[in-house]
Amino acid sequence: MDFIQVPSSYIFYLAAAITFVFLRDRTLRSVLLICVPIIALIQVWNLEIGNHHQVDFFNLQLELMRVDKLSKVFGLIFCLAAFLGNLYAWHVKDVVQQIATLVYTGSAIGAVFAGDLVSLFFYWEGTAIASVFLIWARRTEASYHTGMRYLLIQISSGVILLAGLAVQFHTTGSIAFEKMELSSLSSFLIFISFGIKCAFPLLHNWLQDSYPAATVTGTVILSSFTTKLAIYALARSFAGTEILIYIGAIMTLFPIFFAEIENDLRRVLAYSLNNQLGFMVVGIGVGTELALNGTASHAFAHILYKSLLFMSVGAVLFRTGTSKASELGGLYKTMPLSALCCLIGAASISAFPLFSGFVTKSLIMDATATEHYPVIWCVLVFASAGVLSHSGIKIPYFTFFAHDSGLRPKEAPINMLIAMFITSFLCVFLGVFPDTLYNILPYEVNYKPYTISHVISQLQLLCFALLAFTVIMKLGFHPPEIRAINLDSDWVYRKYLPSIMLRIINRLGSVNESTRSGLENKISSGEQILLNIFGPTANFARVFTNGVMILWIAVIFTGALAIVLF
Amino acid sequence: MEQVYLHFPILQVLIPLLLAPICVLVGRSTFSWLITFFGSVSSLVIAISLLHSVSDGSSISYHIGGWPPPIGIEYVVDSANAFLLVLVSGISTVVLLYARDQIKLEIDEENHTLFYTCYLLCLTGLLGVLITGDVFNVFVFLEISSLSTYVLVAQGAKRDKRALKAAFNYLIMGTVGATFFVIGVGFIYMATGTLNMFDIYERINDLESSRTVRASYAFIVIGMGLKLAMFPMHLWMPGAYTYAPTVVTTFLSATATKVSLYVLIRFTFSVFHFDFNFIEQVFKFLVMPLAIIAMFAMSFVAIFQKDIKRMLAYSSIAQIGYMLLGVSLLSSEGLTATFVNLFNHGITKATLFMSLGVLTLYSGKSFLSDVQGLGKKMPWISASFLIGGLSLVGIPGTAGFISKWLLVQATIEAGVPILALLIILSSLLAIVYIWKVIEHLYFMEPHSELASQKVSFRILIPLWILSISCLYWGFDTSLTVGTSDIAANNLFNNVIKLN
Amino acid sequence: MIFEHNFIMGHLNYWLFIMLMMTGLFIVISRGNLIKKIVGLNIFQTSVFMFYISIGKVAGGTAPIFPMDMNINPSILYSNPLPHVLILTAIVVGIATTALGLALIVRIREAYGTIEDEEISLIEADEQKLETQSQLA
Amino acid sequence: MNDNNKKLKETTNPVGSILFGWLDHRHSTRIIIGTLSVSCFVLLLVDFVYHRHGHFMIEEVPGFFALYGFLMFSLIILGATTLRYFVKRREDYYGTKAVDSDMTENKK
C-alpha cells in the first residue's frame, strides 16, 4: 500500500486529534485548519484509480479508499470547500467549532471514498455527529434545541442506513456500496436514508431548520457537505432510478415559493440549496452519462457558489448581527466588496452565461431534453426562473440595495474577503473555462455550453424574469419583507405532535391537577410531559420504601409463576 | 509447576478468600492495599490463563477435594465464565489501582483495612459464582459477594448518610432475591435429587411438565432478576450506586449485575433446557417486554436526573435491558450479543463512573453543576468521560457500538426487526443524557472557586487504561466477539467438552 | 380436587412453608420499623430452611448418623442428610445478614435519629429538595 | 440635502463609491430599468433573426423563453404571496426556544 493512498479522512482526524490535544495557540490552529485541506487536496488529486485500503472488521472486508472518477471529483470539491470554509473561518477562536469542522469534513471525504456500506455508515454518522457541533457552537438555547432536532434526524438517517445495510447483508451477504435496484426492502431503506440527508420533499425540513441556526462560519461549512454527500451516495447507488426524476422535480419547485416569502436570508439560501439539490436529483434520476456528468459538475459548481452566498450573507450577519431581510438594505455603501461577491454568487446560481451555474446546470437540462422528459424540462426551466427570483435577486437586492436600512457596518474582515474573492474567482473561472471542470467529470463530455442558441435563450429567460421583477416592484406586488416565519413540514413535529401528546396525557389523567395547570401553560413543551412521567419526582424515578419494592417483586413473581405454570 | 496449573480453578477463588483475613490481621492501609492488589492481580493472571486454555471451546472440570461429581462440588471453566472471570478480575485490578487515592478522601483511615477485606470477599464471591458448577455453591458465593457489597455500599456514609439507608434497602432486597433463588434451588433438588448443574441438565430432560421444575425456574428468574436489577425490580440500584463510594460504584457497576445475569444465563441454558416451552414463555412474555420498557423508561428517567451518578445508575438499568433482550431472543446470536454487551458495558460503565469519580473527587457531589466547565480544567479526565459516553451511546469506533451492532444483527436474525428499531431509538435517548453531561463539562464556564486540581498519575493511568480499552475493543473484536461466539455456541448447544 | 384431604395433608409441609414465607414477606412490606423488617426477613428465611429440612425427610427414616461401630445396616432407612447440611450453610448466611442488617440499623439510628422507614424517607425527601434548590440557585 | 449627502459620503467605503457610487445618482433607477428594457428588446429581436435549434418544438417558437421567463416569474411571485397567506406566523410562533425569536432578542 502506497503511503499516498491512505484514507484522506485520516488526515483530517489526525489534525482534529492534534488540535484537541496539543494546540493551545489560536493562530496555529487556524493555520492547521487551512493547511490540512490543501494537503488532502494534493493527495486526492494524485490518487490513482482503484481500491487502495482494505481493513478487516468482523469478518467483513471494508474498502476505505475506492477511488474512481466519481468519487474523485467529489473528493476534490470537498477538499476545496473545506479549504475555503476554513479560510473564511480564520478568525474563529472556538476550538469546538474547529475540531467539529475537521471531523465533519474528514468524515464527508471519507464517506465519498468508502467502498462499502459499513464504512459509509461510520462516516455517515460521523458527519451527523460532528456537524451538530457547528450548530451548538452558537451556544444559545435556541440553537441547542435546533441542534437536537437536527441531530435526531441526521442520526435517524444513519440508523435507517444501518437497518438497510443489515437487511442487505442478511439477504445477500454483501455490503457492497454499489449501484442497486429500488426493489428490495434493503435498497428501499437505504434510499430513504439517503433521501433524508438529501432533503427530499417532506424530509427536507432539517435543512431549513438548522442552517440558519448555526454560527456564521458553521453554516458555510455545513452548506457544502451533508447534502452533497447524499447526492454522491444517490448517484453512486441509484443512478437511473426513475422516481428520482419526479422527486427531484418537486424538490426544485416547492422551495422556490417558500424562499420567496422567507425573511431570514440564510433560510432563503437553505431553501435555494434544496431547490438546487432538486436539479442534481433529477440528473441522477435520468442517469445517462450526460446527466450524471451534469449532477457531478453541478454539485461541484454549486458547492462553490452556495458557499459564496452563505459567506456574503454570513459576513453581513457577522457585522450587523442579523440576517433578516426586513432589517437589512443599503449595505453596498459600506460593504461593497461583499456586495460584489454576493452578486457574483447570485449570477452563478442564476446561471448567467460566463458564470459557473450556466455551464453545469445546462448539462442536466440538456440530459432531460435528450431523454425526452418535456414536462420535467419545463419544470426545470421554471425552477431556473425561480432560482433567479430568490437567490439571484432577493439575496443581493434586499441585503445590499433596496431601501436604506441606515446600517453602516464595516466591510467584512480580511480573511472573509479573501475567501470570498477566491470563491468568486473560481465561480467565474469555471464559467469561462468550463473544460477544466469537464475534464475531471466521471464520463467523457461532448458538450458545448456556449452555443448561440443556448446563450440567447438563457439570457432571454433571465432578462425577462428580471423585467418581470422590476415591473412587479414598480407595481408594488412583490411580497414585502416582514418579520414573520412560515410554517413548513416541521410544524408537524414541532407543534402538532406535541399537542396531540399533551392531549393524550391529559386524557389518561396520569398527571395530577397542579402539574396539569402548569402544563397548560407550556402547551408546546413535550419535554414537560416527559418530565411528568419520568422526571425526578415522577413515579418512575421516585425513591421508594423497601416495602413497595418487595410488593413489586411479589407482583412480578406472580406473573412469572402464572406464565410458568399455565 | 504443572501441579499448580492444574489447581488454577480453585486458586482463582481461594487466593482472594484467604487473603481477606490476612488483610484484617495486617491492619495497615498501605499493606492491605498491597495484599488486595496482589490478590486481584493473581486472580487476573489465573483468569487469563484459564481463558487461554479454554479458548478453543473446550472446558476444564475441577473436582474439589478429589470428590468426583455429582457427589462432590465441581468447578467448571468454559469460555463463557472464563471470559467473565477475566472481566471481573480485570476491572477489579484496574479499580484497585486508583482506589487508594480515592479511598483516602471517601473513607476514614481506620476503616481502610476492613474496606479492602470486604473488597476481597466481594471479589471472591463474584469469581466463585462464575466458576462453580454447583447450584447451591452459587448461592453461597452470591451471598458472600452480596454481604460484603452491603458493607461496601454503606461505606459511603462518610460523605452522605443516605448511603446507610441505601445499603439497608439493598440488604433487604438482596436477601429476598437470594432467598428466592435458594427456594428455586430447593425445588430443583426436589425434582432431580442432585445439585451439580450438568447432572441436573441430564436428569431434567423429561421433567418439562413437572410443576416443581417450572416453579423453581420462576423463583430463580425472580431471584436473579432482583440481583441483576431487572426492571421493575431495580429499585435498590439507583440509591446504592449513587451513595456508595465511587470505587465501589465503579467496581459493582462493571461486575455485580453482570455476574447475576451470567447466573441467569447459565441456569437457563446449562441447568434447564432453554427450549422448554415454559422458559420460552417466560422470556417472551415477561423478560422481553420488561427489557424493552426498561430500555426506554429508564433512559427517560436518566435524562431528567441532575445527579450524574444517579443518571448513570439508571442508564445501567436501561443497558441491562439490552442484555436481557439479547438473551430473550434465545438464539445463539442474541447470546453472543449479550456476552459482548456484558463485557463492553462493563468497561464502559467503569470508565464513566471512574472518570466521574475523579472529576468530583474534591467537591464530593456529582451534580451536573459540579462538573461544570471542568472540560478545560481537567482535560484528560473529561476526555475519558467523553470516550466512555460515546461508547455508552454506541458511536462507531467504540466498544459500545460493537455490542449494539451485534444486538441489532441478532434481532434481525431472529426475525424481529422492529426490536432493532427500538434498540436504536432508545440509543438516541442515551445521546441526550450523555450530552447533558458533556455540555456541562465543555460548554459551560467553570465555577470560579474551583481551583485547578491536580490529579496524580496513579489515577490517570487506570482511567486511561479503561478509556483506551473502550476504544480498543471497538476495533479489535477478535477477543470479545470471538470468545463470546464460542461461549454462546457452547451454551446454546450445551457442548461441554471436558479434556 | 383442591379440597381433597390428601392434597392438603399430603403437602402440609408446603402449606406451612408458604404461610410462614408469606408472613415474613408481609412483615417486610407492612412494617415501617427497620428492626421489624429484619425480623420479617428472618421469618422469611426460616421458612425456606424449614422447607429444605422437610424435603430431606424420608418417611420412616432415622437420623443419618453412622453407628459407633461403623457397621451400616442396609435395612435401616435414613433421611437425606444433604438438605440439612445445605441449610447449615444457609443459616450461617442468614445470621450474617441479620447481624449486618442490625449493624446498619444502629448506624441509621445514629445518622437519622429514627428507625422508622417513613420518617427516614421524609428526611431524605427534604434533603433532596434542598439539593434541587441549591442546583437551581 | 447637501448636508445629508456629505454625511453619507463620510460613512461610505471608498471602494463602495467606485463600485456602486453611481447608484446614488438621481436617475440611477431609471437608467437600470432603461438598460434592462433595451436589452430585453434586443434579445427578443434576435429570436426573429436567428433560428434556434432545440430538443422540443416549443423552444423554436420565437420569444418562447422570454415569455416563459416573464410569466413564470410573475407566477412565482403570485404563488408565493398566496402561500404566505396560509403559512405566515408570528416570529415567536415556536416559542422562545426557536432560532427566529432568538434573533429578535439579539437585535435588542
Side-chain angles (χ1 to χ4, degrees):
Chain A
M1 187 189 65
D2 210 346
F3 175 71
I4 193 123
Q5 318 288 14
V6 298
S8 315
S9 53
Y10 289 5
I11 305 173
F12 288 88
Y13 291 161
L14 181 70
I18 291 173
T19 316
F20 184 70
V21 179
F22 296 115
L23 295 186
R24 294 276 169 268
D25 184 59
R26 186 184 82 72
T27 328
L28 276 181
R29 287 203 304 262
S30 296
V31 171
L32 182 77
L33 246 70
I34 291 182
C35 290
V36 168
I38 296 179
I39 296 168
L41 188 67
I42 296 168
Q43 191 231 0
V44 173
W45 182 260
N46 289 318
L47 280 177
E48 287 157 22
I49 305 294
N51 288 353
H52 297 306
H53 196 89
Q54 279 98 2
V55 176
D56 281 330
F57 178 79
F58 269 134
N59 319 326
L60 299 175
Q61 206 178 45
L62 304 190
E63 295 281 354
L64 291 187
M65 278 310 265
R66 187 242 318 259
V67 184
D68 57 13
K69 291 196 88 172
L70 182 63
S71 56
K72 207 166 157 179
V73 67
F74 274 89
L76 282 175
I77 183 59
F78 279 2
C79 291
L80 195 58
F83 166 70
L84 294 170
N86 288 344
L87 186 60
Y88 182 78
W90 172 275
H91 64 282
V92 171
K93 296 192 188 75
D94 182 6
V95 72
V96 176
Q97 278 189 65
Q98 291 174 324
I99 292 173
T101 307
L102 283 172
V103 176
Y104 177 42
T105 45
S107 304
I109 293 168
V112 163
F113 288 115
D116 62 281
L117 289 169
V118 174
S119 40
L120 178 73
F121 164 75
F122 275 58
Y123 288 125
W124 200 260
E125 293 288 42
T127 58
I129 291 158
S131 57
V132 74
F133 285 90
L134 295 174
I135 298 169
W136 280 335
R138 206 160 121 182
R139 297 192 171 79
T140 62
E141 195 173 358
S143 73
Y144 171 73
H145 286 269
T146 312
M148 267 311 186
R149 284 195 296 273
Y150 170 83
L151 187 64
L152 209 69
I153 293 170
Q154 294 292 309
I155 297 263
S156 349
S157 158
V159 165
I160 295 171
L161 175 63
L162 183 65
L165 139 70
V167 175
Q168 179 184 326
F169 182 63
H170 185 56
T171 48
T172 66
S174 147
I175 53 163
F177 173 33
E178 282 299 341
K179 194 165 168 356
M180 47 186 102
E181 293 299 320
L182 193 56
S183 54
S184 58
L185 173 66
S186 60
S187 59
F188 189 71
L189 286 170
I190 294 172
F191 185 75
I192 294 284
S193 151
F194 292 172
I196 292 174
K197 262 211 166 134
C198 194
F200 278 2
L202 297 183
L203 305 174
H204 65 280
N205 208 264
W206 61 268
L207 186 71
Q208 290 83 357
D209 188 16
S210 60
Y211 284 14
T215 58
V216 169
T217 55
T219 313
V220 175
I221 305 280
L222 282 173
S223 73
S224 300
F225 298 103
T226 302
T227 47
K228 259 59 75 183
L229 175 58
I231 290 289
Y232 164 78
L234 280 172
R236 164 82 57 202
S237 337
F238 293 102
T241 306
E242 198 173 358
I243 188 166
L244 282 175
I245 301 178
Y246 306 107
I247 293 176
I250 297 170
M251 269 171 91
T252 59
L253 280 184
F254 83 92
I256 297 174
F257 299 100
F258 279 97
E260 198 55 47
I261 51 174
E262 177 58 50
N263 188 29
D264 185 341
L265 291 172
R266 292 205 293 174
R267 187 166 288 137
V268 173
L269 285 174
Y271 275 115
S272 142
L273 177 60
N274 208 341
N275 148 288
Q276 293 291 308
L277 292 172
F279 282 95
M280 300 175 214
V281 171
V282 170
I284 297 166
V286 174
T288 57
E289 289 193 354
L290 179 63
L292 288 176
N293 271 340
T295 297
S297 62
H298 199 51
F300 196 101
H302 168 82
I303 287 178
L304 291 173
Y305 59 68
K306 186 58 69 177
S307 302
L308 181 55
L309 286 169
F310 269 117
M311 282 177 187
S312 55
V313 173
V316 170
L317 173 63
F318 184 72
R319 283 301 190 208
T320 65
T322 181
S323 59
K324 301 206 165 169
S326 54
E327 313 296 305
L328 295 169
L331 295 185
Y332 72 92
K333 292 188 171 74
T334 52
M335 301 180 80
L337 296 173
S338 307
L340 184 66
C341 293
C342 185
L343 281 173
I344 294 175
S348 303
I349 195 171
S350 323
F352 270 99
L354 296 184
F355 291 93
S356 59
F358 179 72
V359 300
T360 57
K361 199 195 280 177
S362 42
L363 284 175
I364 298 174
M365 307 276 280
D366 205 58
T368 53
T370 32
E371 296 302 308
H372 279 283
Y373 290 102
V375 177
I376 299 298
W377 181 81
C378 281
V379 167
L380 294 190
V381 176
F382 173 70
S384 303
V387 177
L388 178 77
S389 78
H390 54 76
S391 297
I393 297 172
K394 179 169 177 167
I395 295 285
Y397 183 74
F398 286 104
T399 318
F400 294 104
F401 307 101
H403 78 283
D404 191 351
S405 62
L407 293 171
R408 292 288 180 270
K410 278 197 292 187
E411 181 55 279
I414 186 76
N415 60 305
M416 291 190 175
L417 281 179
I418 295 174
M420 286 194 272
F421 282 149
I422 299 178
T423 323
S424 311
F425 169 75
L426 287 171
C427 284
V428 179
F429 180 81
L430 292 180
V432 180
F433 304 104
D435 288 335
T436 17
L437 177 55
Y438 288 174
N439 283 339
I440 57 170
L441 291 183
Y443 304 101
E444 192 84 7
V445 182
N446 304 311
Y447 182 77
K448 292 271 164 283
Y450 289 108
T451 59
I452 295 178
S453 70
H454 185 204
V455 173
I456 296 284
S457 56
Q458 183 71 8
L459 279 178
Q460 275 183 352
L461 183 77
L462 295 175
C463 284
F464 274 87
L466 275 172
L467 191 66
F469 173 71
T470 31
V471 171
I472 288 165
M473 277 309 271
K474 279 277 161 206
L475 294 178
F477 284 158
H478 196 277
E481 301 305 319
I482 44 175
R483 305 202 54 161
I485 61 148
N486 302 305
L487 299 184
D488 198 341
S489 60
D490 58 343
W491 175 78
V492 175
Y493 54 82
R494 289 173 75 180
K495 209 72 180 180
Y496 183 64
L497 290 182
S499 75
I500 294 269
M501 273 266 281
L502 183 79
R503 226 172 293 162
I504 293 171
I505 297 284
N506 274 340
R507 192 69 51 81
L508 288 177
S510 66
V511 190
N512 60 41
E513 272 316 309
S514 60
T515 46
R516 183 178 298 177
S517 60
L519 214 69
E520 237 101 80
N521 297 333
K522 299 186 174 178
I523 198 144
S524 65
S525 160
E527 209 169 298
Q528 188 64 32
I529 297 162
L530 291 174
L531 195 66
N532 277 303
I533 310 174
F534 299 109
T537 53
N539 280 339
F540 264 109
R542 253 179 50 208
V543 179
F544 289 94
T545 58
N546 42 35
V548 183
M549 300 183 195
I550 303 275
L551 210 57
W552 259 116
I553 294 158
V555 171
I556 298 292
F557 175 68
T558 320
L561 212 57
I563 291 172
V564 164
L565 292 182
F566 301 110
Chain B
M1 198 56 213
E2 212 170 308
Q3 290 293 315
V4 176
Y5 176 77
L6 285 176
H7 291 287
F8 267 1
I10 183 73
L11 284 177
Q12 176 84 86
V13 180
L14 215 54
I15 292 178
L17 182 65
L18 291 181
L19 286 177
I22 296 177
C23 219
V24 186
L25 294 177
V26 166
R28 294 266 297 276
S29 173
T30 316
F31 283 137
S32 41
W33 177 80
L34 268 177
I35 291 171
T36 315
F37 188 63
F38 168 73
S40 182
V41 169
S42 41
S43 296
L44 179 61
V45 171
I46 293 173
I48 289 174
S49 87
L50 284 176
L51 178 64
H52 181 72
S53 50
V54 298
S55 58
D56 53 350
S58 61
S59 43
I60 300 169
S61 163
Y62 182 84
H63 306 161
I64 306 272
W67 293 85
I71 305 288
I73 292 173
E74 182 192 16
Y75 280 7
V76 175
V77 185
D78 65 1
S79 35
N81 56 11
F83 186 47
L84 292 178
L85 286 173
V86 171
L87 173 72
V88 170
S89 51
I91 294 279
S92 143
T93 310
V94 177
V95 166
L96 273 175
L97 272 176
Y98 108 121
R100 253 185 90 206
D101 297 70
Q102 185 94 22
I103 288 298
K104 272 183 199 146
L105 290 158
E106 292 191 358
I107 296 171
D108 289 331
E109 177 85 31
E110 70 259 28
N111 289 344
H112 284 187
T113 331
L114 294 172
F115 175 85
Y116 288 121
T117 312
C118 284
Y119 189 94
L120 272 174
L121 283 175
C122 184
L123 180 64
T124 310
L126 295 174
L127 295 173
V129 171
L130 290 171
I131 208 168
T132 187
D134 182 278
V135 285
F136 196 80
N137 220 225
V138 170
F139 163 75
V140 175
F141 278 121
L142 206 58
E143 280 309 86
I144 291 180
S145 80
S146 297
L147 282 167
S148 43
T149 307
Y150 309 144
V151 180
L152 289 176
V153 170
Q155 294 305 312
K158 191 195 168 193
R159 276 208 165 152
D160 196 325
K161 65 182 175 189
R162 278 173 287 182
L164 295 170
K165 188 64 202 313
F168 186 80
N169 274 350
Y170 191 7
L171 178 131
I172 299 269
M173 307 293 282
T175 308
V176 171
T179 312
F180 266 72
F181 178 75
V182 105
I183 297 171
V185 168
F187 276 136
I188 302 184
Y189 181 68
M190 260 174 78
T192 62
T194 174
L195 289 170
N196 183 289
M197 288 183 184
F198 311 99
D199 202 27
I200 297 173
Y201 184 83
E202 299 296 324
R203 297 190 190 195
I204 215 167
N205 214 351
D206 329 315
L207 294 173
E208 189 183 343
S209 53
S210 153
R211 285 198 173 180
T212 319
V213 170
R214 289 166 169 233
S216 82
Y217 191 70
F219 275 109
I220 286 168
V221 167
I222 299 304
M224 279 302 116
L226 253 171
K227 292 259 180 191
L228 65 82
M230 178 162 110
F231 178 85
M233 299 181 279
H234 62 276
L235 296 163
W236 55 269
M237 193 183 185
Y241 278 19
T242 312
Y243 302 120
T246 319
V247 176
V248 178
T249 312
T250 313
F251 182 54
L252 290 184
S253 67
T255 55
T257 48
K258 314 288 180 288
V259 167
S260 306
L261 181 57
Y262 161 81
V263 174
L264 184 63
I265 294 174
R266 181 58 98 185
F267 270 75
T268 307
F269 288 88
S270 306
V271 176
F272 293 86
H273 294 225
F274 72 91
D275 45 5
F276 280 172
N277 190 34
F278 67 87
I279 289 187
E280 279 170 15
Q281 302 290 322
V282 165
F283 277 107
K284 203 165 160 191
F285 295 113
L286 190 77
V287 178
M288 192 187 279
L290 289 178
I292 293 170
I293 296 174
M295 273 156 51
F296 283 92
M298 291 299 110
S299 298
F300 272 119
V301 172
I303 288 174
F304 290 108
Q305 293 304 319
K306 295 264 184 289
D307 186 335
I308 306 173
K309 254 177 148 180
R310 196 176 272 273
M311 170 195 294
L312 292 177
Y314 278 112
S315 138
S316 277
I317 303 166
Q319 297 284 329
I320 286 164
Y322 292 115
M323 299 173 206
L324 285 172
L325 188 66
V327 183
S328 58
L329 294 172
L330 290 178
S331 70
S332 169
E333 290 82 12
L335 213 51
T336 310
T338 298
F339 271 112
V340 176
N341 213 338
L342 283 176
F343 187 87
N344 287 346
H345 179 245
I347 53 176
T348 304
K349 261 296 148 56
T351 315
L352 283 169
F353 272 119
M354 196 186 270
S355 49
L356 178 67
V358 183
L359 284 173
T360 58
L361 197 58
Y362 298 95
S363 68
K365 298 254 180 252
S366 52
F367 288 98
L368 281 170
S369 59
D370 293 310
V371 301
Q372 205 159 303
L374 290 181
K376 292 190 194 87
K377 295 199 167 182
M378 304 167 112
W380 288 97
I381 316 232
S382 308
S384 86
F385 187 92
L386 181 68
I387 293 173
L390 293 179
S391 178
L392 187 73
V393 173
I395 301 293
T398 57
F401 171 73
I402 306 291
S403 29
K404 291 252 168 77
W405 167 260
L406 286 173
L407 190 57
V408 166
Q409 283 264 306
T411 51
I412 291 174
E413 201 79 29
V416 266
I418 179 82
L419 289 180
L421 191 71
L422 291 177
I423 291 164
I424 292 159
L425 280 178
S426 66
S427 311
L428 294 179
L429 297 176
I431 296 181
V432 180
Y433 56 77
I434 288 298
W435 168 251
K436 274 174 75 173
V437 185
I438 302 296
E439 187 189 20
H440 277 82
L441 272 177
Y442 284 99
F443 297 133
M444 290 201 178
E445 285 308 307
H447 293 303
S448 51
E449 70 264 29
L450 272 171
S452 193
Q453 294 157 342
K454 283 195 110 178
V455 175
S456 76
F457 269 92
R458 280 201 303 263
I459 287 181
L460 269 180
I461 290 170
L463 187 55
W464 273 89
I465 292 177
L466 279 175
S467 312
I468 289 170
S469 61
C470 271
L471 295 174
Y472 178 76
W473 302 122
F475 288 102
D476 180 10
T477 56
S478 55
L479 176 77
T480 48
V481 181
T483 316
S484 306
D485 216 26
I486 298 170
N489 267 319
N490 279 357
L491 281 173
F492 200 71
N493 304 317
N494 206 52
V495 190
I496 297 289
K497 272 188 267 165
L498 300 175
N499 30 337
Chain C
M1 179 219 164
I2 286 189
F3 299 104
E4 221 173 289
H5 176 257
N6 201 25
F7 185 75
I8 296 175
M9 291 314 287
H11 296 93
L12 188 62
N13 55 335
Y14 300 129
W15 293 119
L16 292 176
F17 147 65
I18 289 170
M19 261 176 61
L20 208 51
M21 182 177 155
M22 289 301 151
T23 315
L25 270 184
F26 179 74
I27 294 174
V28 179
I29 294 172
S30 61
R31 298 296 120 166
N33 187 311
L34 298 186
I35 291 182
K36 286 185 183 167
K37 274 182 196 289
I38 290 288
V39 171
L41 204 64
N42 260 316
I43 294 175
F44 175 55
Q45 285 182 309
T46 311
S47 75
V48 181
F49 304 159
M50 303 295 259
F51 160 69
Y52 261 77
I53 292 166
S54 71
I55 62 173
K57 171 72 182 167
V58 176
T62 174
I65 302 169
F66 277 123
M68 286 295 276
D69 54 2
M70 299 302 273
N71 283 330
I72 301 157
N73 184 352
S75 63
I76 298 178
L77 205 57
Y78 290 106
S79 285
N80 185 352
L82 187 69
H84 302 182
V85 178
L86 295 181
I87 278 325
L88 278 180
T89 321
I91 288 171
V92 174
V93 170
I95 288 172
T97 313
T98 312
L100 180 57
L102 292 173
L104 277 175
I105 292 173
V106 172
R107 289 291 308 274
I108 289 175
R109 156 92 199 188
E110 283 169 4
Y112 291 84
T114 174
I115 55 168
E116 285 295 328
D117 209 4
E118 307 267 296
E119 288 171 30
I120 294 170
S121 296
L122 281 179
I123 295 172
E124 290 194 339
D126 281 349
E127 212 145 296
Q128 201 157 8
K129 209 174 281 171
L130 275 177
E131 269 171 2
T132 3
Q133 273 162 8
S134 72
Q135 285 299 298
L136 293 175
Chain D
M1 178 71 195
N2 219 353
D3 220 33
N4 211 3
N5 243 347
K6 212 174 177 183
K7 216 175 192 175
L8 270 178
K9 274 269 157 57
E10 274 166 13
T11 49
T12 305
N13 190 314
V15 190
S17 47
I18 299 168
L19 276 176
F20 302 109
W22 53 275
L23 279 178
D24 294 329
H25 194 272
R26 207 142 38 98
H27 299 299
S28 62
T29 331
R30 232 180 277 173
I31 296 170
I32 294 171
I33 295 178
T35 325
L36 187 62
S37 316
V38 171
S39 43
C40 283
F41 186 65
V42 173
L43 282 168
L44 197 59
L45 278 187
V46 172
D47 251 12
F48 294 94
V49 182
Y50 171 82
H51 181 74
R52 188 173 30 229
H53 296 283
H55 291 279
F56 303 111
M57 289 275 283
I58 198 165
E59 281 185 73
E60 299 176 12
V61 176
F64 162 73
F65 281 101
L67 194 66
Y68 196 74
F70 193 91
L71 286 183
M72 287 303 135
F73 196 95
S74 317
L75 184 71
I76 288 167
I77 302 295
L78 194 72
T81 317
T82 324
L83 180 67
R84 173 176 268 181
Y85 177 77
F86 291 105
V87 298
K88 194 179 84 171
R89 291 293 184 278
R90 283 164 50 86
E91 251 177 349
D92 54 359
Y93 177 72
Y94 286 122
T96 44
K97 284 174 186 171
V99 170
D100 306 87
S101 30
D102 204 34
M103 287 172 176
T104 329
E105 276 168 35
N106 269 2
K107 195 74 182 31
K108 279 169 199 167

